[in-house]
Amino acid sequence: MTAPPQGPPPPPAAPEPMRPRVQPVKVNPSDYMPLAGGLRQTGQMFALAASVLRMTFKRPFQVRELIQQFWFIASVTILPTALVSIPFGAVIALQVGSLAKQLGAQSLTGGASVLAVVQQASPLIVALLIAGAAGSAICADLGSRTIREEMDAMEVMGVSPIQRLIVPRVIACMAVAFCLNGLVSVVGVAGGYFFNVALQDGTPGAYLASFSALAQLPDLYVGQTKAVIFGFIAGVVAAYRGLHPGAGPKGVGDAVNQSVVIAFLLLFMVNLAITAIYIQVVPPKGA
């Protein structure tokens, strides 16, 4: 019995048309809340500052790293700070002397100019130079380490990047700011004394007498305290931007610029707050 003859094979089915793959839409909360990114970064910066304070007293302490960073920051800031403090002291002395002469209180020029240098100009000069010179170098160093994934490698090995790298740099900024503030105060006061006596016909005795009559030790204390706080802020801001740079070398450069700008804004706002509190808490001499 033979099999029935079979017909031609059926034509192959047409392939289904390829459907385009739909990519999921990523929703960025910052697009709908413009302040969300800024608030998140502010919180992360405060968290980094708290971590630095907590790990400062945690062993082992990186003494060698602290000494190296202290020497580096001092070497890049001491000469510019000394050079900038001379015109600052001269400008303050000349302006205050001219105003005091118009008001008939030329004998108080020394005290007013010295207080302006010690309380305001000296800490700000130190902080701006540390944030501009040392802070940019710290941010560039940490940023280059971050894009090379050295920070991730340290965390994988169980080493805290904050304790190993950031804490010594922040403490070095604070120590250098404390030391440089005294240098700037001395240089600024000496420059103001010279310009007041040489250019405005002031007398050395009146300059020194007005200083001793108006100044007091808390004025020096608040200047030194400001310098330490400003050094801490500059170091934390530089470290934070160094830990969160953009992609590639361009991102590191942008992070350096952002760290300097953010540090400047924070320094001026904190200086305003500390000055307002000091004026309310500490009475002026002779009051």
Side-chain angles (χ1 to χ4, degrees), residues 214-235:
L214 297 178
Q216 52 186 342
L217 279 179
D219 299 328
L220 178 61
Y221 297 157
V222 71
Q224 294 293 101
T225 304
K226 281 183 180 182
V228 174
I229 295 176
F230 294 165
F232 177 80
I233 294 175

Side-chain angles (χ1 to χ4, degrees), residues 47-282:
L48 177 61
S51 300
V52 170
L53 292 176
R54 185 180 69 253
M55 293 187 178
T56 300
F57 306 99
K58 186 178 179 180
R59 301 179 63 183
F61 189 77
Q62 305 297 327
V63 179
R64 174 178 293 183
E65 187 74 16
L66 173 62
I67 296 174
Q68 291 177 353
Q69 294 302 318
F70 181 89
W71 176 253
F72 168 74
I73 296 173
S75 63
V76 299
T77 56
I78 185 170
L79 181 59
T81 303
L83 294 178
V84 170
S85 61
I86 297 176
F88 258 90
V91 169
I92 291 175
L94 293 176
Q95 188 65 40
V96 172
S98 177
L99 181 61
K101 189 174 182 179
Q102 294 176 8
L103 297 176
Q106 192 173 2
S107 60
L108 301 177
T109 302
S113 60
V114 168
L115 289 178
V117 170
V118 172
Q119 287 189 15
Q120 303 297 329
S122 179
L124 282 178
I125 292 172
V126 172
L128 294 180
L129 286 175
I130 286 182
S136 59
I138 292 173
C139 183
D141 179 39
L142 296 178
S144 61
R145 292 172 183 262
T146 302
I147 64 174
R148 292 197 304 263
E149 300 181 352
E150 292 184 18
M151 301 298 182
D152 298 335
M154 293 177 65
E155 292 180 353
V156 170
M157 292 186 296
V159 179
S160 173
I162 297 178
Q163 183 182 7
R164 177 65 178 81
L165 299 176
I166 297 177
V167 170
R169 285 164 170 78
V170 174
I171 295 179
C173 288
M174 297 169 62
V176 173
F178 181 85
C179 297
L180 286 183
N181 186 67
L183 173 64
V184 175
S185 299
V186 173
V187 175
V189 170
Y193 172 84
F194 172 78
F195 281 95
N196 178 260
V197 173
L199 300 181
Q200 294 183 325
D201 299 330
T203 58
Y207 191 93
L208 298 177
S210 62
F211 170 65
S212 60
L214 297 178
Q216 52 186 342
L217 279 179
D219 299 328
L220 178 61
Y221 297 157
V222 71
Q224 294 293 101
T225 304
K226 281 183 180 182
V228 174
I229 295 176
F230 294 165
F232 177 80
I233 294 175
V236 170
V237 172
Y240 173 77
R241 291 307 305 155
L243 293 177
H244 302 84
K250 183 179 182 299
V252 177
D254 295 339
V256 171
N257 296 333
Q258 294 171 7
S259 70
V260 175
V261 175
I262 294 173
F264 281 12
L265 293 176
L266 289 178
L267 292 174
F268 281 107
M269 290 189 294
V270 172
N271 180 58
L272 173 62
I274 295 177
T275 303
I277 294 173
Y278 176 77
I279 292 176
Q280 296 297 326
V281 172
V282 180

